[in-house]
């Protein structure tokens, strides 16, 4: 008898984790989701992801939820030993750089130590199973801000041919300000690479730009496009922090993130690192995002401008996707920014209809 493939997904109730669970459940895999709704602890009721957990339990065949904190080393070792998954996707994290400064122990224990717990559990129980870690472009600290920029009408852009396609994986991670979040994620990123190189495990780090989509529970401190749409729909003022609102982010739909993960699981490599955002074509500034959102909601975006930028915030960042495209030529971006925004608008409207806690003021 051929046994079913299984995947273990941490952060399963979050944006990326839930997209992964959906994708692999629909392929017929057994899906083990690990989440303890820590997002509600980090961000309060507005960050609550239970609605997504309950939706998956209702809708996904083969989905099993494990209420487990990845900081609990013994429990992580036991679960991975019991499941011995065919692949692991690690998407649980304290994801906000602003929040990290207020909770440095929780941030490091979750992001760095939690990742080590999972890596070691994988090495002991399923050393040949692909291990994909969601990393972040904050591992580059604020060094991207040292690239020469040009100011355009509605956005900043790189003024250096080296970065014409964006920032590649050989960009320095050293000697810049990362925020405590960037530092804890970098510790995890290096450890994932090390388990790949030292133990020859099929590991990979995806250094995310702005990952988003209709399943995002955006809050002010994390989830830029999702939170912006929510503000627009609820007539709430969006706060712009410095850089004239021309700061640029590259946005990628969570489905496109998962499609790359699936490609890696099909053809794994060892100790790889990829910059994964929407790339230049899917980049937009905050001012440009206002316009796109307004075009779908018909509502003018209210905002307030604050001179001071967020600590270590990137002025312009978009990922160079060339390395991914050369390793996985069949992968591509399938959702434009406009497409992503229109889906987020529809999703927030539905969630208001069913009176989700995150939109109680709609
Ligand atoms: N969303 C983005 O723009 C973005 C950008 C770059 C990198 N990333 C990275 O991608 C990953 C996924 O991000 P996301 O946007 O899906 O985040 P998310 O906050 O939506 O999901 C993370 C999930 O992890 C859970 N979690 C947190 N701590 C936990 C713990 N100790 N034990 C068990 N579960 C825990 C949370 O409850 C939440 O459901 C994270 O590693 C994040 O740093 C995200």
């Amino acid at each position: 008898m051929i046994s079913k493939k299984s995947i273990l997904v941490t952060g399963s109730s979050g944006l990326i984790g839930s997209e992964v669970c959906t994708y692999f459940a629909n392929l017929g895999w057994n899906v083990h989701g690990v989440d303890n709704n820590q997002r509600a602890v980090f961000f309060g009721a507005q960050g609550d992801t239970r609605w997504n957990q309950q939706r998956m339990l209702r809708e996904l065949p083969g989905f099993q939820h494990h209420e487990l904190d990845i900081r609990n080393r013994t429990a992580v070792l036991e679960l991975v030993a019991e499941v011995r998954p065919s692949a692991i996707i690690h998407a649980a994290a304290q994801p906000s750089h602003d929040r990290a400064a207020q909770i440095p122990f929780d941030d490091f224990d979750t992001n760095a130590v939690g990742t080590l717990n999972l890596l070691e559990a994988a090495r002991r129980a399923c050393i040949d199973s692909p291990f994909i870690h969601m990393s972040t472009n904050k591992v580059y600290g604020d060094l991207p801000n040292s690239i020469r920029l040009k100011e355009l009408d509605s956005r900043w852009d790189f003024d250096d041919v080296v970065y014409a396609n964006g920032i590649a994986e050989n960009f320095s991670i050293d000697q810049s300000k990362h925020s405590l979040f960037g530092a804890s994620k970098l510790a995890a990123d290096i450890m994932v690479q090390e388990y790949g190189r030292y133990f020859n495990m099929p590991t990979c780090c995806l250094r995310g730009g702005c990952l988003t989509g209709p399943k995002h529970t955006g809050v002010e401190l994390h989830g830029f496009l999702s939170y912006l749409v929510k503000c627009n729909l609820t007539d709430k003022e969006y706060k712009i922090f410095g850089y004239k609102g021309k700061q640029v982010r590259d946005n990628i739909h969570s489905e496109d993130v998962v499609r790359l993960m699936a490609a890696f699981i099909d053809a794994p490599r060892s100790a790889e690192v990829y910059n994964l955002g929407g790339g230049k074509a899917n980049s937009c500034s905050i001012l440009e995002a206002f316009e796109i959102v307004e075009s779908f909601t018909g509502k003018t975006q209210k905002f307030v401008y604050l001179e001071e930028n967020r600590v270590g915030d990137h002025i312009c960042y978009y990922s160079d996707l060339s390395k991914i495209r050369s390793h996985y030529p069949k992968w591509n971006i399938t959702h434009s920014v406009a497409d992503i925004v229109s889906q987020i608008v529809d999703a927030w409207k539905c969630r208001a209809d069913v009176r989700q806690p995150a939109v109680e003021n709609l």
Side-chain angles (χ1 to χ4, degrees), residues 11 13-17 34-39 42 49 68-71 91-95 110 134-136 181 185 208-211 216 222:
S13 308
L15 168 77
I16 296 302
V34 172
D35 205 300
N36 64 346
N37 199 26
Q38 192 70 19
R39 189 171 170 91
F42 294 144
T49 54
L68 187 152
D69 190 324
I70 58 163
R71 291 171 290 186
Q94 189 300 107
T110 304
M134 274 313 313
S135 186
T136 168
F181 160 76
K185 291 291 284 187
C210 272
L211 321 178
H216 216 174
H222 184 245

Side-chain angles (χ1 to χ4, degrees), residues 3 11 34 72 78 99-100 110 143 176 181 201 211 248 314 350:
S3 60
V34 172
N72 183 340
E78 282 174 4
R99 189 79 182 99
T110 304
L143 213 56
S176 64
F181 160 76
M201 284 169 62
L211 321 178
V248 169
H314 292 151
C350 287

Side-chain angles (χ1 to χ4, degrees), residues 220 223-240 245 285-305 341 344-345 348:
E220 183 169 15
F224 145 68
L225 267 184
S226 171
Y227 179 69
L228 198 158
V229 169
K230 184 179 169 192
C231 286
N232 181 288
L233 289 171
T234 54
D235 291 319
K236 194 173 152 87
E237 262 181 0
Y238 182 88
K239 287 192 197 124
I240 298 179
S285 69
I286 294 183
L287 296 180
E288 291 164 354
F290 284 173
E291 274 190 34
I292 301 170
V293 173
E294 286 167 355
S295 75
F296 286 103
T297 64
K299 296 177 76 164
T300 305
Q301 182 73 48
K302 293 185 180 160
F303 69 93
V304 54
Y305 182 76
V341 169
I344 296 176
V345 169
W348 274 121

